Amino acid sequence: WLMQTPMQRLCYNLISNAIDANAAMGRGRALTVRANLVSGENGQDTLRIEVEDCGPGIPNEILDQIFMPFFTTKPKDKGTGLGLAICRRVANLHGGSLEVDTEPGSGTTFRVLIPAYREKPEGIADPAQLVMSPPSGSSTHGGRLGSASRNP
């Protein structure tokens, strides 16, 4: 079960950011998008969506800020700083998470992990709850996983 419009926004934002990152390095629009269903040890399947670019990567000194609303590294006429904050919120509203795996100079992979349900489970938010207040107990970023793996 997925909220279609918010998930479309999440995918669009991650792909758009990857295209911009590649362009910043003069690498065109080539990027990698992967989606698969991963079986969990507890029997709960997880939808995993990954968007990988070959851009400049995210500097360590700003990594803890990238999911904050209105934080952007883009020029004022190019971005609002809401894209990654919205993506994280959409993942959280689905009971999932948004993670980043980056290596400055080599690119970035954003990974969305969402529990796979056949029907809307109890307690999962509806699209009307897409507001920019952070979910309770959240930190400023989804976690750094280390160097990006180019061959999963």
Side-chain angles (χ1 to χ4, degrees):
W1 180 88
L2 295 172
M3 293 179 278
Q4 183 176 353
T5 301
M7 284 303 296
Q8 289 170 334
R9 179 180 294 171
L10 180 150
C11 292
Y12 174 82
N13 283 341
L14 292 179
I15 291 168
S16 178
N17 283 352
I19 290 169
D20 290 346
N22 286 350
M25 296 291 284
R27 296 184 176 149
R29 295 180 178 221
L31 57 102
T32 302
V33 178
R34 288 182 286 275
N36 55 10
L37 202 56
V38 180
S39 297
E41 293 178 16
N42 61 357
Q44 173 65 56
D45 290 338
T46 300
L47 173 63
R48 179 174 59 195
I49 302 169
E50 295 179 327
V51 178
E52 179 182 338
D53 66 52
C54 52
I58 301 169
N60 290 331
E61 53 272 8
I62 66 166
L63 195 56
D64 64 344
Q65 300 172 59
I66 63 170
F67 294 111
M68 294 173 65
F70 306 108
F71 177 81
T72 185
T73 59
K74 296 179 182 180
K76 289 184 182 187
D77 64 337
K78 186 69 175 160
T80 62
L82 291 175
L84 289 177
I86 289 171
C87 290
R88 184 173 201 204
R89 184 72 173 141
V90 169
N92 291 158
L93 287 172
H94 280 87
S97 62
L98 175 60
E99 302 171 345
V100 61
D101 186 3
T102 189
E103 186 173 324
S106 296
T108 300
T109 300
F110 282 93
R111 185 173 299 107
V112 181
L113 300 167
I114 296 175
Y117 300 110
R118 298 261 181 229
E119 298 176 9
K120 180 182 176 192
E122 292 296 320
I124 297 293
D126 61 51
Q129 293 182 344
L130 268 178
V131 295
M132 289 316 308
S133 58
S136 61
S138 69
S139 62
T140 57
H141 68 85
R144 185 162 194 269
L145 300 176
S147 299
S149 170
R150 299 293 177 215
N151 298 313

